[in-house]
């Protein structure tokens, strides 16, 4: 029962992490492009770095919390184990998402101002 619970926990939470990272990455690039003064290269690079950080933090959290709590001995224990651990992981992913959106929005406006404030450079003729 213990091994199956651990495997289910890892499969569910890592699956959710991958799904959320892909969703945020594909939809976040448009947001980042706007925040970074329509600089697509900077937006793509930042998007990739955010996805890598997202994976590292979430998979680290998931593996660290694997050893926390009481090991399930019955089917009911396994269901409680899974619901508590998956629920905690989903909450952490959600909090990270809102933190990242706030930080990107704040720093994106700053970067956009940098782009808008820089003087126009005349092309070499």
């Amino acid at each position: 029962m213990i091994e199956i619970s651990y495997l289910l926990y890892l499969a569910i939470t890592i699956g959710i992490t991958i799904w959320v990272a892909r969703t945020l990455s594909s939809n976040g690039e448009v947001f980042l492009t706007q925040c970074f003064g329509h600089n697509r290269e900077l937006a793509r690079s930042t998007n990739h770095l955010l996805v890598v950080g997202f994976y590292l933090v979430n998979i680290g959290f998931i593996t660290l919390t694997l050893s926390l709590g009481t090991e399930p001995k019955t089917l009911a224990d396994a269901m409680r184990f899974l619901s508590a651990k998956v629920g905690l992981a989903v909450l952490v992913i959600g909090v990270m998402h809102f933190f990242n959106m706030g930080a990107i929005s704040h720093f994106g406006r700053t970067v956009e101002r940098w782009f808008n404030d820089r003087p126009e450079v005349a092309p070499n003729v």
Side-chain angles (χ1 to χ4, degrees), residues 1-3 5-6 66-74 76-78 80-81 85:
M1 184 62 61
I2 294 168
E3 292 83 7
S5 298
Y6 286 151
L66 189 63
S67 65
L68 299 178
T70 310
E71 292 182 343
K73 293 179 182 24
T74 66
D77 288 344
R80 280 190 289 275
F81 171 88
K85 289 195 179 285

Side-chain angles (χ1 to χ4, degrees), residues 3-50:
E3 292 83 7
I4 292 172
S5 298
Y6 286 151
L7 288 173
L8 282 172
Y9 167 67
L10 289 172
I12 292 167
T13 54
I14 290 174
I16 289 170
T17 299
I18 292 168
W19 174 72
V20 170
R22 287 183 176 173
T23 301
L24 295 176
S25 175
S26 63
N27 295 309
E29 192 169 319
V30 174
F31 177 74
L32 290 171
T33 301
Q34 178 67 33
C35 285
F36 294 142
H38 301 283
N39 184 333
R40 285 184 163 274
E41 186 177 345
L42 179 60
R44 281 191 195 118
S45 174
T46 303
N47 196 28
H48 181 73
L49 293 172
L50 286 169

